[in-house]
Amino acid sequence: MIDTHSHIYCDQFDDDRDATVLRAQEAGISHIILPNENLASVPLVRALHDQYPAYTSMALGLHPEEVKQDWREVLDAMRPLLDTGDFIAVGEIGIDLYWDKTYRLEQMDALAMQLQWCTSKDLPFIMHCRDGLDEVLQVFDTQGTTLPRGVFHCWPGDAGDVERVRRYGDFYFGIGGVVTFKKSQLPAVLPAIGLDRILLETDAPYMAPVPMRGKRNESSFIPYINNHIATILGVTPEEVSAVTDRNARDLFKIN
């Protein structure tokens, strides 16, 4: 099982980061992808990757909630880092208008620029989309006929939204702990997505799955998500882990 989206480099893991990685390994997690959020988090991501180079991969992007007036300067500082070849994806990037719509247009412009990075470097995107699907698709409309590969991380939408996204490309959808929540709509959406386009993720330290809900999330909780998806789709946990593992390796080109 691969955790395709984890922030275990953040300060919530400062007291037990190595133990967290060990628990993930013992739980059967074969790889962890680490998307940064801003410039300040880049050295944190790199430090963890340097410690576990075969076990982790890095992604680089500007999280939409981090987009402010200085977004151009921030992206100008980030862009040369992609030339190192150390990053497997551009992310996490996207649109988030849940709490604040102040920088809506700036988020759209930043997303457009980072999608162009994907194209120029032949990298997939990791898309954060919260109350912003209309805006994401508007940006897609500006990108020409061929969009980069990518995943819609922590997918929040319904089956109709899945269909809207698929008009633009055959993207993947990241499924995490929310799928296990009692009032989640995701169980009804999974058949529309299909196992061949699902990626497993935690978004640690956020949104721990049942029965760990309310606790700090971590990569070792992936089996709860994997097994719940298996139950919903009527397949074995082994099939879910095998297919989602293949999906992640195909999208991110990891060994």
Side-chain angles (χ1 to χ4, degrees), residues 29-217:
I29 311 310
S30 59
H31 202 79
I32 301 173
I33 296 175
L34 308 169
N36 80 305
E37 298 176 336
N38 50 32
L39 270 176
S41 62
V42 173
L44 303 178
V45 171
R46 187 174 291 280
L48 182 55
H49 175 64
D50 286 347
Q51 188 175 357
Y52 299 98
Y55 191 64
T56 64
S57 295
M58 301 184 292
L60 180 75
L62 183 60
H63 191 291
E65 289 184 303
E66 298 290 329
V67 172
K68 309 298 180 187
Q69 290 288 1
D70 65 346
W71 68 271
R72 291 184 186 275
E73 291 82 359
V74 174
L75 292 188
D76 284 346
M78 279 189 180
R79 174 60 183 83
L81 300 176
L82 286 180
D83 294 331
T84 64
D86 295 336
F87 298 92
I88 64 164
V90 176
E92 62 187 286
I93 62 177
I95 303 291
D96 192 318
L97 304 176
Y98 183 77
W99 296 110
D100 188 357
K101 298 179 175 63
T102 303
Y103 294 103
R104 173 180 174 272
L105 294 179
E106 288 85 354
Q107 287 188 30
M108 294 175 70
D109 288 341
L111 174 57
M113 182 177 291
Q114 291 174 100
L115 287 174
Q116 290 164 17
W117 293 359
C118 294
T119 300
S120 66
K121 303 299 292 185
D122 191 26
L123 292 172
F125 61 74
I126 298 174
M127 185 73 69
H128 174 113
C129 180
R130 193 178 190 195
D131 284 6
L133 184 58
D134 290 345
E135 285 76 10
V136 168
L137 299 184
Q138 286 178 45
V139 174
F140 278 1
D141 285 333
T142 70
Q143 297 297 298
T145 57
T146 303
L147 286 163
R149 298 165 293 120
V151 55
F152 278 76
H153 139 72
C154 194
W155 176 246
D158 59 21
D161 292 330
V162 172
E163 178 60 31
R164 291 178 67 198
V165 167
R166 282 187 166 152
R167 292 171 191 161
Y168 290 85
D170 191 15
F171 302 112
Y172 291 88
F173 298 84
I175 304 298
V178 173
V179 75
T180 70
F181 296 176
K182 185 176 181 179
K183 295 183 179 180
S184 173
Q185 68 174 353
L186 276 178
V189 180
L190 293 190
I193 295 174
L195 185 56
D196 65 341
R197 283 300 176 267
I198 290 174
L199 300 183
L200 301 178
E201 62 171 55
T202 58
D203 201 17
Y206 313 108
M207 295 181 295
V210 175
M212 300 298 182
R213 189 173 184 183
K215 298 182 179 181
R216 183 194 67 177
N217 203 2

Side-chain angles (χ1 to χ4, degrees), residues 203-247:
D203 201 17
Y206 313 108
M207 295 181 295
V210 175
M212 300 298 182
R213 189 173 184 183
K215 298 182 179 181
R216 183 194 67 177
N217 203 2
E218 59 178 68
S219 298
S220 65
F221 296 168
I222 280 283
Y224 296 115
I225 300 165
N226 182 91
N227 296 348
H228 200 78
I229 291 172
T231 298
I232 293 167
L233 294 180
V235 298
T236 65
E238 292 76 17
E239 183 175 355
V240 173
S241 60
V243 174
T244 56
D245 183 276
R246 183 177 69 239
N247 294 345

